[in-house]
Amino acid sequence: MKKAYTILTLIGFVFLLITQVSFMPDNDEVQTREQLGSKLFFDNILSKDRTINCSSCHNPEFAFADTAVFSKGIGGKLTARNSPGLTNLSGRTHFFWDGRAASLEEQALGPITSPDEMGLSIEEAVERLNKNEFYANAFQKIFKAAPNKDNLLKALAAFERTLETTNSPYDRYINGDDNALSAAAVRGRNIFIGKGNCNNCHSGEDFTADRFKSIGLYNGKDLNDAGRFKITKDSTVLGEFKIPGLRNVAVTAPYMHNGKFKTLRSVVEYYNNPSAVVSDGINRDLSLDKPLNLSSQDIDDVVEFLKALTDDRFVKNISKS
């Protein structure tokens, strides 16, 4: 049994390594901002103790999300919130669960300098890159300047903007392939835009209205993350969090800012009747006051539709929901 576990662990490690290498260019191939950003994304040089990198919390296998409730930073410190996926962010207007960053460049700075994540000051990060022959040359070639805060963040953001996905069964369906979705997924789509009212918040091509909502996961007690309120200090947004996009959502479990729900089914069950799960949620959006009265079959169908939003490159990693 121990030998079999060791073999499975080794296979998993090799697969992860292959996945990372597929996104990471060779030194000779770094010709663009995007390629430089990719190199930096997977390089431990940007963490204080050189033990982790961006992909440690944003795994390419799982649409650049983490499968843990909270990710581990340097020294085994845990992040305060679940690490979301990074695909399909180029059109977003706010970043992080509380929306504290207004651009991908600003977002890229956060994990590097956070003491619970990579824990490296931006000054030291720039100093390291300038002392590194490869990066010093690469930044000069691409930006015509030595590494600095501005071009470091621009490179990382440029890479993240390449993580767009549009090759899913849903995409093929809306482009005319009537057989691209299963019958269950078609029913789920009708519920999603019909009696489920899911598209009130999850709209547009990436299934997000780019707004903030409180869905009732704050009660000031065991659920004590006030979300957007921590940034604005406006009591009207108490418990609000950024509405995430739903592309590739089937591979990014667990769900919500606190990783409360392990499966897509448990997420849909919550929306079906939030009070049955969290009875004392504060400032919950009025649209969630009444149960949706979805049947068990309805819930299964919505889950099948959500799975159909998975890009082909990630489909093998869809979790059992």
Side-chain angles (χ1 to χ4, degrees):
M1 179 66 73
K2 185 175 181 181
K3 182 178 180 181
Y5 176 79
T6 302
I7 293 173
L8 287 173
T9 302
L10 180 60
I11 291 172
F13 174 77
V14 171
F15 181 80
L16 175 60
L17 184 62
I18 291 171
T19 304
Q20 289 188 346
V21 169
S22 70
F23 282 98
M24 185 170 57
D26 293 332
N27 288 0
D28 294 340
E29 295 178 353
V30 176
Q31 305 291 332
T32 66
R33 294 185 181 193
E34 293 79 6
Q35 291 170 343
L36 178 57
S38 176
K39 191 79 172 176
L40 289 162
F41 191 91
F42 294 100
D43 198 328
N44 290 1
I45 195 173
L46 293 180
S47 65
K48 187 173 183 63
D49 59 5
R50 299 177 188 262
T51 59
I52 64 172
N53 55 61
C54 302
S55 74
S56 300
C57 299
H58 297 283
N59 190 329
E61 277 189 88
F62 301 101
F64 292 83
D66 198 350
T67 56
V69 173
F70 301 115
S71 302
K72 287 185 178 180
I74 57 171
K77 297 176 184 177
L78 294 179
T79 55
R81 292 172 179 151
N82 179 258
S83 297
L86 297 182
T87 62
N88 302 85
L89 293 182
S90 63
R92 307 285 66 82
T93 54
H94 298 89
F95 302 88
F96 295 112
W97 282 103
D98 55 20
R100 64 185 181 274
S103 68
L104 275 172
E105 286 80 4
E106 189 179 351
Q107 176 273 327
L109 176 64
I112 297 173
T113 59
S114 170
D116 293 332
E117 298 180 62
M118 298 166 81
L120 187 67
S121 71
I122 194 64
E123 292 78 14
E124 188 174 353
V126 169
E127 182 181 358
R128 285 186 183 182
L129 295 174
N130 275 285
K131 289 181 177 179
N132 182 287
E133 182 179 1
F134 166 75
Y135 283 118
N137 291 334
F139 275 88
Q140 282 289 348
K141 178 172 62 177
I142 294 167
F143 286 99
K144 311 303 180 187
N148 58 49
K149 174 183 176 181
D150 180 64
N151 55 29
L152 164 59
L153 300 183
K154 283 181 177 178
L156 286 168
F159 168 62
E160 291 184 358
R161 290 190 177 97
T162 69
L163 305 179
E164 296 295 297
T165 62
T166 57
N167 192 19
S168 69
Y170 166 77
D171 292 302
R172 290 189 283 278
Y173 181 80
I174 62 172
N175 285 324
D177 183 355
D178 293 337
N179 298 315
L181 293 185
S182 67
V186 171
R187 293 194 302 269
R189 179 174 183 252
N190 291 334
I191 295 168
F192 187 93
I193 62 180
K195 63 181 178 180
N197 201 30
C198 309
N199 69 332
N200 180 50
C201 293
H202 295 284
S203 57
E205 63 181 359
D206 291 328
F207 298 90
T208 173
D210 283 315
R211 293 179 291 170
F212 298 88
K213 288 279 188 177
S214 171
I215 64 169
L217 295 182
Y218 171 77
N219 60 12
K221 294 177 289 189
D222 57 314
L223 300 172
N224 58 12
D225 189 337
R228 183 70 171 158
F229 172 77
K230 293 183 178 181
I231 306 302
T232 68
K233 307 304 179 185
D234 178 356
S235 61
T236 65
V237 300
L238 195 62
E240 289 192 1
F241 292 89
K242 186 171 71 72
I243 299 170
L246 295 183
R247 284 187 176 273
N248 308 307
V249 69
V251 301
T252 64
Y255 302 104
M256 308 305 178
H257 67 280
N258 56 3
K260 181 175 178 61
F261 302 119
K262 294 182 179 180
T263 66
L264 281 176
R265 196 177 208 285
S266 62
V267 171
V268 182
E269 287 174 340
Y270 175 76
Y271 282 118
N272 192 34
N273 189 3
S275 294
V277 181
V278 179
S279 61
D280 56 352
I282 296 173
N283 199 35
R284 189 175 67 199
D285 193 82
L286 294 177
S287 65
L288 300 176
D289 273 358
K290 295 180 180 180
L292 296 174
N293 295 316
L294 301 181
S295 68
S296 180
Q297 182 63 61
D298 289 338
I299 292 172
D300 286 342
D301 290 344
V302 172
V303 169
E304 288 306 307
F305 171 64
L306 294 174
K307 289 180 179 180
L309 304 180
T310 308
D311 190 83
D312 289 351
R313 77 183 81 175
F314 305 122
V315 71
K316 62 183 177 296
N317 296 317
I318 292 179
S319 59
K320 297 187 185 301
S321 302

